[in-house]
């Protein structure tokens, strides 16, 4: 049984089925069922990889190696839990008159297509198809950001489309240059874009071409990662779209874009034999952490605030991979995993909090704990976890990143500490009154699905205390592969 | 013979560049669409010529794909879109046209400098046009920045894709077929989504002036 292909086909079929029937009463359950089936396929695939090691499919067009295996599982898992959360959430939005059956159909169908595009981007061995899948993932989410058809959401979606479109066009130019460099070594044809082939000949590729290619690739995919100064679309798209979409954008899409950058970095490092790619990533990463932390402290809208927090964390991860070396890369991979879990959990809690309070403005959301302890605690614990409190996983990875930075780039450490401090103060100061105190919020018409929040927080906690040995092995192998 | 083909490709590349400049200065949407179609035709001609001279049949498929998508389907869709939305009026640019042209010239010089070391490494007979292709990409990029209306921005976006396509053809005789099909699919999906999207903008604001879309700012 080819679980890899099955994992790609299920969401694609789901998109088709839900495009026809996605507006029906039971459609949210069907949506979850498809996502669950995708997750099962991903889990079976992972267990096979644990047993037999890396594998290929369809004449090496698809592959699973230590760098993408955990991201594949993570993506399928978060996509499934988000679909669980999305069911009651979108029902409540329908009751509020924000969704019609037609919009629900679009929403469910595009949700599956988005999952499919991300899994395709993660598993394809072809750098060209990687680009196609990244663009596909953007296109699938544009109409979801604007689904409420409010003025603000249309603006956010337009910005998202144009900025990411321009960004991804730069990445295409970078891919063309990559193909040009490969063409000189491997010869023309599909083989010249296969990452595994490129990886073997990376030391023979022309450094001039690859250094220019990396600039375009980093700017292109970096736009999707949300690196400052290319981040403008991100807070708007997160704040104006439906919350399940904010959760998957933050938790998954940013990771997938960063994954694309990493694949390119491995090739460029091999060809250049210097630290140019790493230095560029350090620069972009540090700038993102700093700028995002200060913008974060000025936000009034809860979803915008957590969107800036995503920029901050993606910056931190980019910074870690920029430093490179076994420890920083390990920390970066761990941080990708934990951030994805915790940030989506926060968005689940925030989504229901916003529905209860009827506003996204933080000063008007109060006393969540008194009306719904689960939402309140979910938000509080999630915020503490994302701010790097022990014993959650974010603490472990941030600690590793900071200690490596102290050794490799001492001048950057105070800047990072400053940014993390500012972010901590800002988020904690705002979340605290949201959770505690008196409230005017109303109970919800549909019981919210909050199991995903605690599942994610539990996993985030576990990764802070104990990382399964096979995951450690993957992280270490991937860290070696990414190199310094 | 290769010399003649090389000259012809250079000629087509310069036509492409002139068309990019023309788009930059054109205010009427209908003319913009026409210029975009011409760009498509030029691309098809260049691709067929390259395919013939280098004996690479896959370039014919790629030319056919361009013909169908960029000369036939997309212009038709754009025409239908502006008929439905009734937006033939002149578009205003944010920077006046002479200034735009000056910046455009600087961009061209910049692209040639950037592309020079790369072109010298390519083995393609069309390698000298890589600079022009990059210039087309940057000019379209600038067109997107300077236009205040949604439809011209979209045409700028599509024209940027043309520039990218030309750079792939010129530098490496086109991307592998799977990738090209994927890109074509993305472009088609993108234009359909944009069509839907413009109706939504129109419905909400009674106008396609995207300067309405400036409410989300950091304060």
């Amino acid at each position: 049984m080819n679980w890899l292909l099955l994992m790609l086909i299920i969401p694609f079929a789901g998109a088709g089925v839900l495009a026809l029937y996605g507006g029906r009463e039971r459609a949210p359950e069907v949506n979850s069922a498809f996502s669950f089936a995708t997750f099962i396929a991903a889990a079976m695939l992972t267990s096979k990889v644990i047993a037999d090691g890396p594998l290929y499919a369809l004449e090496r067009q698809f592959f699973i190696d230590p760098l993408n295996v955990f991201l594949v599982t993570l993506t399928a898992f978060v996509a499934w839990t988000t679909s669980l959360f999305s069911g009651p959430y979108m029902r409540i939005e329908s009751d509020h008159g924000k969704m019609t059956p037609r919009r629900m159909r679009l929403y469910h169908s595009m949700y599956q297509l988005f999952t499919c595009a991300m899994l395709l981007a993660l598993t394809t061995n072809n750098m060209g198809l990687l680009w196609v899948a990244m663009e596909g993932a953007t296109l699938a989410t544009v109409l979801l950001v604007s689904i409420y058809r409010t003025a603000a959401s249309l603006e956010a979606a337009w910005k998202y489309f144009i900025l990411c479109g321009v960004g991804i066009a730069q990445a295409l130019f970078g891919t063309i240059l990559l193909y040009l460099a490969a063409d000189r070594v491997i010869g023309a044809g599909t083989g010249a874009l296969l990452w595994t082939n490129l990886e073997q000949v990376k030391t023979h590729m022309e450094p001039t071409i690859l250094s220019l290619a990396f600039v375009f690739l980093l700017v292109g995919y970096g736009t999707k990662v949300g690196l400052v100064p290319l981040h403008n679309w991100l807070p708007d798209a997160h704040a104006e779209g439906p919350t399940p979409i904010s959760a998957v954008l933050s938790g998954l899409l940013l990771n997938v874009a960063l994954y694309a950058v990493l694949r390119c970095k491995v090739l460029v490092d091999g060809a250049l034999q210097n630290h140019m790619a790493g230095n560029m990533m350090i620069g972009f990463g540090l700038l993102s952490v700093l700028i995002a932390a200060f913008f974060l402290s000025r936000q009034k809208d809860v979803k915008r605030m957590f969107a800036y927090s995503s920029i901050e964390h993606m910056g931190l991860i980019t910074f870690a991979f920029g430093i490179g070396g076994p420890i920083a890369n390990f920390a970066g991979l761990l941080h990708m995993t934990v951030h994805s879990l915790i940030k989506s959990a926060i968005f689940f809690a925030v989504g229901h909090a916003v529905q209860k309070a009827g506003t996204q403005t933080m000063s008007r959301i109060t006393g969540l704990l008194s009306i719904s302890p689960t939402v309140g605690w979910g938000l509080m614990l999630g915020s503490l976890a994302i701010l790097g409190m022990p014993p959650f996983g974010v603490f472990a990875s941030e600690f590793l990143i900071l200690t490596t930075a102290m050794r490799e780039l001492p001048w950057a450490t105070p800047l990072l500490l400053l940014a993390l401090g500012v972010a901590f103060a800002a988020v904690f100061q705002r979340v605290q009154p949201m959770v505690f105190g008196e409230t005017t919020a109303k109970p919800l018409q549909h019981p919210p699905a909050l199991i995903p929040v605690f599942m994610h927080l539990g996993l985030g906690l576990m990764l802070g205390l104990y990382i399964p040995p096979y995951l450690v092995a993957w992280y270490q192998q991937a860290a070696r592969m990414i190199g310094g | 013979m290769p010399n003649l083909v090389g000259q012809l490709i250079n000629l087509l590349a310069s036509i492409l560049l002139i068309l990019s400049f023309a788009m930059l200065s054109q205010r009427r949407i209908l003319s913009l669409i026409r210029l975009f179609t011409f760009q498509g035709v030029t691309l098809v001609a260049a691709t067929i010529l390259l395919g013939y001279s280098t004996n690479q049949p896959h370039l014919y498929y790629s030319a056919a794909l361009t013909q169908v998508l960029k000369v036939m389907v997309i212009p038709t869709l754009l025409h239908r879109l502006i008929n439905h939305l009734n937006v033939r009026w002149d578009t205003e640019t944010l920077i006046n046209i002479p200034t735009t042209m000056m910046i455009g010239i600087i961009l061209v010089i910049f692209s040639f400098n950037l592309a020079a070391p790369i072109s010298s490494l390519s083995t393609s007979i069309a390698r000298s046009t890589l600079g022009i292709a990059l210039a087309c990409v940057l000019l379209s990029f600038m067109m997107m920045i300077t236009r205040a209306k949604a439809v011209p921005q979209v045409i700028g976006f599509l024209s940027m894709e043309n520039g990218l396509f030309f750079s792939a053809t010129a530098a490496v005789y086109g991307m592998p077929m799977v990738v090209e099909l994927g890109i074509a699919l993305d472009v088609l999906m993108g234009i359909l989504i944009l069509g839907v999207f413009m109706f939504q903008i129109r419905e909400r604001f009674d106008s396609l002036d995207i300067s309405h879309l400036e409410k989300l700012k950091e304060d």
Side-chain angles (χ1 to χ4, degrees), chain A residues 203-219:
Chain A
T203 46
H204 303 294
M205 287 197 285
E206 188 57 53
T208 339
I209 305 181
L210 276 197
S211 53
L212 188 63
F214 188 72
V215 174
F216 279 98
L217 288 165
L218 180 63
V219 168

Side-chain angles (χ1 to χ4, degrees), chain B residues 13 90 111 120 148:
Chain B
D90 293 348
S111 330
S120 63

Side-chain angles (χ1 to χ4, degrees), chain A residues 23-44:
Chain A
R24 302 269 175 94
E25 183 53 31
R26 310 303 294 172
E29 281 73 29
V30 177
N31 189 36
S32 306
F34 273 110
S35 295
F36 184 63
T38 314
F39 172 60
I40 292 295
M44 295 306 290

Side-chain angles (χ1 to χ4, degrees), chain A residues 360-437:
Chain A
Q360 289 184 194
T361 312
M362 283 183 278
S363 55
R364 285 165 55 197
I365 307 175
T366 47
L368 287 171
L369 213 52
S370 62
I371 184 153
S372 167
T374 42
V375 172
W377 279 117
L379 183 58
M380 196 66 206
L381 289 175
S383 305
L384 287 175
I386 207 73
L387 291 170
M389 289 294 277
F392 287 100
V394 177
F395 172 76
S397 50
E398 282 185 353
F399 184 77
L400 283 175
I401 294 173
L402 282 172
T403 45
T404 324
M406 246 178 257
R407 208 170 46 244
E408 307 274 334
L409 290 174
W411 57 269
T413 325
L415 296 174
L416 285 179
L417 281 173
L418 173 73
L420 291 177
V422 169
F424 190 96
V427 173
F428 193 73
Q429 182 200 342
R430 289 202 172 63
V431 167
Q432 198 261 346
M434 282 165 69
V435 174
F436 300 105

Side-chain angles (χ1 to χ4, degrees), chain A residues 132 149 184 298 304 308, chain B residues 121 186 204 215 218-219:
Chain A
V132 171
R149 311 276 167 87
R184 290 162 50 84
R298 291 167 53 183
R304 281 184 88 84
Y308 274 105
Chain B
L121 293 168
D186 276 346
R204 171 62 54 181
K215 301 285 184 299
E218 294 307 335
D219 40 24

Side-chain angles (χ1 to χ4, degrees), chain A residues 126 128 131-132 135 139 143 146 149 151-152 154-155 157-159 161-162 165-166 169 172-173 176 179-180 184 189-190 193 206 209 212 236 240 295 298-299 304 308, chain B residues 114 118 121-122 134 141 144 150 153-154 157 160 164 167-168 171-172 174-176 179 182-183 186 189-190 193-194 197 200-201 204-205 210 213-216 218-219:
Chain A
N126 186 321
W131 184 88
V132 171
E135 173 75 352
L139 292 175
L143 288 180
S146 72
R149 311 276 167 87
L154 282 172
E155 180 183 344
W158 183 257
K159 231 179 187 176
F161 183 89
I162 292 294
V166 170
L172 180 58
F173 193 73
I176 293 170
Y179 184 51
L180 172 63
R184 290 162 50 84
T190 319
L193 271 177
E206 188 57 53
I209 305 181
L212 188 63
D236 296 342
E240 302 305 331
F295 268 111
R298 291 167 53 183
Q299 298 308 311
R304 281 184 88 84
Y308 274 105
Chain B
L114 200 63
I118 309 284
L121 293 168
S122 166
L134 188 58
F141 187 28
M144 289 176 70
Q153 275 205 339
V154 171
F157 184 73
M160 182 156 72
L164 288 168
S167 63
V172 275
M175 302 289 270
V179 180
I183 295 172
D186 276 346
M189 234 173 91
I193 288 178
L194 276 169
F197 203 62
Q200 297 180 359
I201 295 182
R204 171 62 54 181
F205 298 106
I210 50 172
L213 299 182
E214 280 179 3
K215 301 285 184 299
L216 290 176
E218 294 307 335
D219 40 24

